[in-house]
Amino acid sequence: MTKITIDNRELEVPAGTTVLGAARQLGIEIPSLCYREGCDASASCLVCVVKINGNARLAPACATAVEEGMMIESETAEVHAARRTALELLLSDHLGDCLAPCFFSCPAEMDIPVMLRQIAAGDLRGAIATVKRDIALPAVLGRICPAPCEKACRRRELDGAVAICLLKRFVADVDLATAEPYLPVCETASGRKVAILGGGPTGLAAAYYLARAGYACTILDENAELGGRLLRETTPEELPREVLAAEIAQIARLGMEVQLNRKINAAAFNDLCGRFDAVLIAAGHAAREQADAFGVAATTKGIHVEHGIFRTDRPKVFAAGTAVRGKSMVVRSAADGKEAAAAIDQFLRGATVTGQIRPFTTKIGRMEGEELLRFAEGAAPDTREEPTGGLAEGYVPDEAASQAVRCLHCDCRGLHACKLRKYSAIYGADPKRFKGHRRAFVQDAQHAEVLFEPGKCIDCGLCIQIAAKAGEEIGLTFVGRGFDVRVAVPLDRHLGEALQKVAAECVAACPTAALAWKASRGVDLAD
Ligand code: SF4
Ligand code: SF4
Ligand code: SF4
């Protein structure tokens, strides 16, 4: 047995054990991409580096055997920086969209392609759950949102953007028409209380997500009914009032208290701050004029808050929406409500208040011409159609399904399993740090079940080893040299011929989604 120390913890392991293996015995997760049990270590990704015996040069944990008395450091700033750089070098040549372009253009960051796949599959209950994870008022926004997501839709360049906004509305309308519209599962009541000033899109969204997180919410509004700018800035033709009322009723079903005709002056505000655990000012642009009365700082635009956190300079008081921004899209106000709820939740749990954590992603960027045509190859050929009954009627189920299948599924099929993305997020890797000229994006769909996207390959060689060990007749190989080395099927054969026995093992071993199931990435973004 060999005695070693990892991060000040001693253990004995059999001679010949690697540092990576020893760390795993201690439950210490050293990241690794190119190593796999049963395969030869290539030590090519260098994400698993550690510091050994204080040596200046870091060593790959996957290819270093333990020695008696070895002192290993895995969690120092120096080691983390080296891992981050190794990841950034891999990302410099990485070509893929973890999340679709439409995701980043939706202020509420809704998982649009997942919703579209659920509509196409007829899973409307799943679709409303996807929608409401990020948008509390989808039937409302489905009627009045200018759909910035559609401006970023990759299919727009081809034959018209996917009808994202109308499809979201379809999902919400169908849900509201059911006997038991969707209600999320709420966390156990925390016993903490939040006062929300203003029952417009920001306040309503905040109440919805705070109630989901287990807080008792009280909405106070100076008007005789809830809705705020949704009532002031839209006509009943644009936004039928019964739709607004139905969606507010859904939020109220989560169990909040509503106080209407409540004008809040300085004394009343101080009282709220005393009685509630947190207060959110979401009373629209007019709230800026009350900043002095509320005891919070303001700029000419609105109440001053910390960026992304929505915290004012008064303890436990937050502000969001047009109270902070001045004018903005309604979907921006609703997104603010959700994000402020996330920040208030962190504050009330005693956690560091970071606001909503942005998911890690790499981006391909704009596609056009031949590249876009190749990317869209095999996609449903239908063009964008408006509802036959007119916009006021919206889509009927058949129309919705045929519009939903127009999505090109730009998001990555391996999002949840991808180790490159996981560790890039953990180590804060910047995908643009070493970014150079980008190649054309290519998909190889010649295998019946497996999709190969060479731009996502990190040349770990695991699939080559697995195919060779299994005796695949054609298998895979490296071609090219130096920076141009890449994995390919030899002898001008195709992937379907190359992976006949061990396609599943290769997909499971691939540390990215370079090899992924065609049908995967079905449902969930909850990572
Ligand atoms: S392979 Fe990983 S890093 Fe690359 S696009 Fe897919 S999820 Fe993102
Ligand atoms: S084609 Fe689909 S996934 Fe791609 S941007 Fe458009 S809606 Fe989003
Ligand atoms: S395709 Fe093969 S070589 Fe490329 S990352 Fe996946 S397993 Fe490694």
Side-chain angles (χ1 to χ4, degrees), residues 164-237:
I164 301 165
C165 194
L166 276 171
L167 287 164
K168 171 186 67 196
R169 174 186 146 184
F170 165 76
V171 170
D173 285 354
V174 167
D175 179 61
L176 286 175
T178 58
E180 278 296 324
Y182 168 79
L183 273 189
V185 177
C186 294
E187 300 284 331
T188 313
S190 66
R192 318 295 297 275
K193 297 184 299 177
V194 182
I196 299 169
L197 265 62
T202 308
L204 288 166
Y208 180 80
Y209 292 104
L210 283 165
R212 276 178 80 145
Y215 299 101
C217 298
T218 300
I219 301 181
L220 305 103
D221 196 296
E222 63 180 20
N223 300 295
E225 56 186 324
L226 293 176
R229 66 184 290 207
L230 296 171
L231 290 168
R232 286 194 307 276
E233 298 175 10
T234 67
T235 64
E237 288 71 37

Side-chain angles (χ1 to χ4, degrees), residues 354-376:
T354 57
Q356 194 165 303
I357 293 162
R358 300 258 104 79
F360 175 87
T361 193
T362 63
K363 291 182 180 174
I364 297 174
R366 192 183 163 84
M367 277 191 196
E368 54 191 356
E370 277 299 308
E371 186 185 34
L372 181 57
L373 284 173
R374 273 200 314 273
F375 184 72

Side-chain angles (χ1 to χ4, degrees), residues 100-102 112-113 116 152-155 162 164 407-410:
C102 51
I112 292 161
L116 295 172
C153 175
R154 206 161 257 157
R155 187 135 189 177
V162 177
I164 301 165
C407 178
L408 302 177
H409 309 296
C410 307

Side-chain angles (χ1 to χ4, degrees), residues 239-325:
L239 176 56
R241 298 315 188 225
E242 64 275 15
V243 172
L244 176 60
E247 218 146 50
I248 291 175
Q250 280 307 108
I251 296 174
R253 278 178 73 199
L254 298 188
M256 61 221 44
E257 186 185 333
V258 176
Q259 296 182 15
L260 298 171
N261 301 309
R262 278 293 310 272
K263 263 201 169 356
I264 303 296
N265 57 20
F269 190 80
N270 288 337
D271 176 56
L272 288 178
C273 291
R275 287 193 297 116
F276 286 83
D277 298 295
V279 177
L280 174 66
I281 303 169
H285 193 46
R288 193 244 161 267
E289 307 311 320
Q290 286 178 279
D292 281 348
F294 295 159
V296 295
T299 65
T300 45
K301 210 160 75 175
I303 290 170
H304 175 70
V305 292
E306 290 172 64
H307 181 68
I309 291 177
F310 302 94
R311 191 162 54 184
T312 69
D313 60 343
R314 179 168 177 171
K316 72 177 178 179
V317 176
F318 293 73
T322 49
V324 168
R325 296 177 186 275

Side-chain angles (χ1 to χ4, degrees), residues 452 456-463 478 487 506 509-512 514-515:
F452 178 42
K456 296 177 181 174
C457 174
I458 61 162
D459 299 328
C460 70
L462 290 175
C463 55
F478 280 125
V487 169
C506 290
C510 183
T512 71
L515 287 169

